[in-house]
Amino acid sequence: MALPSSHSCFSSTFSSFSSKNQERSLFTRSKIDFTPFSRIFTRFRVLQRKCFNNGHLIPLENDFGDTSTVEGPVKHFKATHDHFSSPEQNKTTLSIIVVGASGDLAKKKIFPALFALYYEDFLPEHFTVFGYARSKMTDGELRNMISQTLTCRIDKRENCNDKMEQFLQRCFYHSGQYGSEENFKELDDKLKEKETGKLANRLFYLSIPPDIFVAAVKSASCLAASQFGWTRVIVEKPFGRDSESSRELTASLKKYLIEEQIFRIDHYLGKELVENLSVLRFSNLVFEPLWSRQYIRNVQLIFSEDFGTEGRGGYFDSYGIIRDIMQNHLLQILALFAMETPVSLDAEDIRNEKVKVLRSMRTLQVDDIVIGQYKGHSKGGKTYPSYTDDPQVPNNSLTPTFAAAAMFIDNSRWDSVPFLLKAGKALHSKGAEIRVQFRHVPGNLYRRNFGTDLDKNTNELVIRVQPNEAIYLKINNKIPGLGMRLDRSNLNLLYSTKYTKEIPDAYERLLLDAISGERRLFIRSDELDAAWALFTPVLKELEEKHVAPELYPYGSRGPVGAHYLAAKYNVRWGDLSSEDS
Ligand SMILES: NC(=O)C1=CN([C@@H]2O[C@H](COP(=O)(O)OP(=O)(O)OC[C@H]3O[C@@H](n4cnc5c(N)ncnc54)[C@H](OP(=O)(O)O)[C@@H]3O)[C@@H](O)[C@H]2O)C=CC1
Ligand SMILES: O=C1O[C@H](COP(=O)(O)O)[C@@H](O)[C@H](O)[C@H]1O
């Protein structure tokens, strides 16, 4: 097969292109614009690319790609949907290529999310899904594999089997090596067969181990990028192991793609209650005035899983819980929680504010982190394995499966407020939540009724991200009757009671956003840099000094050290109080 003799994948034109202002003006959001092809082609001339696909310039974006919203998620979904059902879409087609289609994430999350979008009519009329991986599979075998994990919405089961069958008929497979340009060229040929006569947009989802990200991006961008439509790449975490490797990864990806083509996914940003965080803060007068050191005593960001690393020990052992959960999922939530009001809901405005928070944070110190690792034990006739029982984990591994950290944002809003982060595997429960503990009421008239433990009676706002999504505020009230006895109650918004509609999976929202060019929920490279800067020194110190994690029994509440850490800042973990357990 004839391949381009040399990869002029990145021409010098890129350096002149990458001036920040130029980038911004080229990618500034617009509302839906049914732009004629002529304008799209004008754009292509401006967006000279680094990578040539068989002699064709590869455009970065077209106006379809800019379909997005400055007016919030509802409009965004609606806008996207309307666009997909408009006459315009007859001229365009979308190819979604799941690279690593044989893997765990693809099966568990990506294909089911794509089906859910199809089921809800959120995908454009003309679309094709291609699985790509080394495993040998026919289209039929891929369809059979996918069909095992597709489900229909609980609240909408009509035509489920028909819809599933229709979706599966749009799914195809190509087997190839991740670094093989020849194999990606074959993929390109197959894609073109399906895309005939249409402006083709291509979305690659890299659902593969991180050491092959760059090879796959190189092959995809040089041999299988869209010629006239946009090409975007969703990159899964981990985005490096520390500041240096993350920067290297970014630099390598940017040899083949520009920042606007890279969609770094943090699926926690796609979770319904994380999305709702900004709505809660910025659309309710009652919260924003309280959102600072003046009223908030501490903030807790808690992640726990009631199972171990089963099946993923190999990956996990080279990363550990700090990199797996804390540096990304919890820190992203923290940034959204603590940011100033953005200028607008535009992706860049939001991400600018998040970066400011991250850059205002104090680098984590080793005295402010506690690490743990689960150990096996037997209880009630059942045996629970230790982390090191995992066949993919070395017996002497010091990798933490639990971590608790105290972090601070050195700005005027949050000065001295502890942000306590806690993440662990093989704990007693599964959940993710944000807890906001408010200050004590000064000169409280009712303190006599509370007893000595004031903490027990302070207000606490809990945003339960999962499971059983809820937002509740703990308040004090009088027990009805002639006496004066006080009680604790929850003002509770429990989603399952209030809304009958099933909450979409995070991957659905994120895939839809990537398709419509909405970058708000994806991580920009400067955010990533700032996030790594906070954790890299402590990660290095823990590793260089071979700090041994405190052992905790599988299924327990984690190491005792986490309590001492909280106590150092006069905090008690809210998830462990008797009211909440
Ligand atoms: N699984 C999960 O729950 C989550 C995963 N992620 C991230 O998503 C990505 C994919 O995860 P997951 O599906 O679990 O990964 P897998 O380990 O299942 O790998 C995906 C596919 O990549 C190919 N592959 C695996 N190892 C290698 C290798 N050493 N060299 C070349 N190809 C290889 C295999 O396909 P084949 O052999 O057919 O080529 C495999 O089916 C990773 O970056 C992971 O960190 C992020 C969050 C959660
Ligand atoms: O990113 C990851 O997330 C999962 C937890 O995701 P959730 O949506 O099920 O809460 C975690 O198990 C995994 O270790 C990590 O890589």
Side-chain angles (χ1 to χ4, degrees):
M1 166 155 315
L3 293 172
S5 51
S6 70
H7 298 119
S8 29
C9 286
F10 351 106
S11 74
S12 53
T13 53
F14 181 62
S15 49
S16 60
F17 170 75
S18 66
S19 114
K20 206 167 182 186
N21 288 339
Q22 240 174 323
E23 274 185 39
R24 267 195 70 80
S25 64
L26 287 168
F27 293 97
T28 301
R29 305 226 151 285
S30 58
K31 285 226 211 124
I32 296 169
D33 178 1
F34 301 128
T35 312
F37 269 48
S38 58
R39 239 184 80 193
I40 296 175
F41 285 112
T42 312
R43 222 171 220 229
F44 292 169
R45 281 199 296 278
V46 183
L47 299 172
Q48 295 249 323
R49 282 312 327 276
K50 327 174 249 182
C51 189
F52 290 83
N53 185 3
N54 301 337
H56 296 273
L57 275 178
I58 296 170
L60 302 171
E61 295 286 340
N62 57 30
D63 290 66
F64 182 40
D66 279 344
T67 321
S68 70
T69 178
V70 288
E71 294 173 63
V74 174
K75 275 251 171 65
H76 160 59
F77 267 59
K78 176 87 175 61
T80 312
H81 192 205
D82 287 353
H83 189 93
F84 288 159
S85 51
S86 75
E88 179 68 7
Q89 67 159 305
N90 281 326
K91 299 182 197 150
T92 61
T93 180
L94 172 68
S95 299
I96 302 163
I97 305 101
V98 182
V99 181
S102 56
D104 181 59
L105 186 73
K107 279 185 266 193
K108 242 176 27 195
K109 294 290 184 183
I110 306 171
F111 289 116
L114 287 171
F115 172 63
L117 291 177
Y118 175 71
Y119 188 61
E120 300 272 346
D121 287 334
F122 276 117
L123 290 183
E125 189 180 333
H126 302 287
F127 79 91
T128 309
V129 177
F130 257 86
Y132 185 97
R134 296 171 308 176
S135 303
K136 300 279 177 231
M137 255 191 275
T138 60
D139 292 342
E141 284 164 339
L142 173 85
R143 288 171 190 164
N144 188 35
M145 182 192 89
I146 299 173
S147 66
Q148 318 292 318
T149 54
L150 302 188
T151 53
C152 292
R153 289 263 179 264
I154 294 165
D155 49 340
K156 260 197 189 180
R157 287 196 183 276
E158 327 86 73
N159 305 328
C160 184
N161 288 341
D162 293 349
K163 282 275 205 178
M164 240 181 228
E165 197 42 45
Q166 290 157 14
F167 174 77
L168 290 171
Q169 290 310 314
R170 307 269 199 120
C171 296
F172 302 90
Y173 184 74
H174 186 70
S175 162
Q177 301 292 323
Y178 299 106
S180 164
E181 298 193 341
E182 186 169 345
N183 293 160
F184 271 88
K185 176 73 186 76
E186 291 156 10
L187 171 72
D188 184 58
D189 291 341
K190 284 193 179 172
L191 289 169
K192 280 185 187 141
E193 266 175 40
K194 311 281 174 214
E195 295 166 346
T196 44
K198 304 238 168 4
L199 175 72
N201 295 317
R202 291 185 183 174
L203 177 66
F204 288 84
Y205 195 126
L206 296 192
S207 183
I208 45 178
D211 49 330
I212 45 178
F213 282 169
V214 178
V217 162
K218 182 178 177 205
S219 316
S221 88
C222 293
L223 274 301
S226 170
Q227 290 183 6
F228 299 111
W230 51 250
T231 299
R232 297 181 187 141
V233 181
I234 298 180
V235 185
E236 261 297 345
K237 65 170 243 266
F239 313 117
R241 300 188 76 255
D242 51 23
S243 293
E244 199 186 335
S245 53
S246 164
R247 257 182 241 132
E248 267 169 30
L249 175 64
T250 300
S252 302
L253 293 177
K254 285 190 180 176
K255 287 183 191 163
Y256 307 97
L257 303 166
I258 64 158
E259 177 67 21
E260 282 71 14
Q261 288 179 287
I262 306 173
F263 288 70
R264 293 180 195 83
I265 204 163
D266 182 315
H267 76 280
Y268 265 64
L269 291 183
K271 295 204 183 253
E272 186 63 42
L273 268 82
V274 177
E275 261 283 77
N276 190 51
L277 194 49
S278 297
V279 179
L280 188 75
R281 274 188 72 186
F282 301 125
S283 75
N284 292 298
L285 184 71
V286 295
F287 291 116
E288 194 49 22
L290 306 181
W291 222 254
S292 74
R293 65 190 303 276
Q294 228 179 329
Y295 296 101
I296 292 179
R297 197 155 45 105
N298 68 75
V299 181
Q300 304 177 13
L301 301 145
I302 301 172
F303 166 95
S304 67
E305 274 180 346
D306 55 3
F307 50 89
T309 55
E310 290 102 44
R312 291 188 78 219
Y315 148 79
F316 192 86
D317 201 60
S318 17
Y319 289 90
I321 200 81
I322 302 171
R323 296 180 176 96
D324 191 46
I325 303 290
M326 213 176 244
Q327 179 271 349
N328 37 58
H329 303 330
L330 295 188
L331 194 62
Q332 282 296 320
I333 298 178
L334 184 155
L336 273 179
F337 178 96
M339 71 183 183
E340 297 300 314
T341 315
V343 175
S344 75
L345 291 174
D346 182 272
E348 298 323 316
D349 289 331
I350 294 174
R351 297 193 294 184
N352 287 344
E353 294 308 326
K354 281 166 64 197
V355 174
K356 282 189 213 160
V357 172
L358 297 174
R359 292 186 52 211
S360 305
M361 287 180 73
R362 215 179 287 167
T363 309
L364 181 60
Q365 303 297 310
V366 80
D367 293 345
D368 278 336
I369 190 155
V370 167
I371 55 170
Q373 188 184 87
Y374 63 87
K375 63 177 183 189
H377 70 114
S378 301
K379 195 175 165 189
K382 213 174 161 211
T383 305
Y384 298 88
S386 71
Y387 172 63
T388 50
D389 286 339
D390 187 319
Q392 297 172 333
V393 172
N395 285 337
N396 58 354
S397 171
L398 295 179
T399 301
T401 58
F402 174 100
M407 304 195 74
F408 293 88
I409 306 172
D410 290 331
N411 65 14
S412 59
R413 187 186 283 264
W414 298 113
D415 191 9
S416 311
V417 176
F419 282 78
L420 293 186
L421 282 61
K422 183 165 74 166
K425 290 194 176 269
L427 293 172
H428 74 297
S429 64
K430 175 169 166 52
E433 57 188 25
I434 307 166
R435 286 180 173 264
V436 187
Q437 296 189 340
F438 290 90
R439 292 195 183 281
H440 305 140
V441 175
N444 194 330
L445 281 178
Y446 294 98
R447 60 183 172 277
R448 231 167 23 94
N449 306 65
F450 288 142
T452 48
D453 192 351
L454 286 184
D455 284 6
K456 272 194 171 163
N457 302 288
T458 53
N459 298 121
E460 185 173 10
L461 175 68
V462 181
I463 299 165
R464 193 159 66 219
V465 176
Q466 66 184 32
N468 213 4
E469 292 81 350
I471 301 173
Y472 56 95
L473 179 65
K474 294 188 190 175
I475 58 151
N476 301 304
N477 60 285
K478 179 180 166 299
I479 297 175
L482 298 179
M484 178 52 73
R485 283 172 51 228
L486 298 196
D487 198 7
R488 291 280 278 170
S489 300
N490 288 345
L491 301 182
N492 196 351
L493 166 57
L494 185 61
Y495 275 53
S496 58
T497 315
K498 173 87 197 273
Y499 301 105
T500 47
K501 197 166 166 26
E502 200 181 326
I503 293 179
D505 188 75
Y507 283 86
E508 293 172 39
R509 189 189 314 278
L510 293 164
L511 275 160
L512 186 57
D513 278 358
I515 292 167
S516 36
E518 168 62 66
R519 296 175 179 82
R520 193 168 42 95
L521 301 179
F522 294 89
I523 319 290
R524 214 167 56 185
S525 63
D526 53 345
E527 278 185 81
L528 193 57
D529 260 359
W532 275 121
L534 296 172
F535 285 93
T536 296
V538 91
L539 284 164
K540 282 209 158 44
E541 194 170 337
L542 291 172
E543 280 157 15
E544 276 163 17
K545 293 187 175 158
H546 301 287
V547 176
E550 187 180 328
L551 297 177
Y552 61 95
Y554 191 119
S556 70
R557 287 163 189 268
V560 189
H563 299 278
Y564 291 120
L565 177 68
K568 181 173 156 190
Y569 294 104
N570 290 321
V571 177
R572 265 184 245 183
W573 292 105
D575 61 324
L576 301 182
S577 89
S578 51
E579 273 178 4
D580 281 79
S581 50

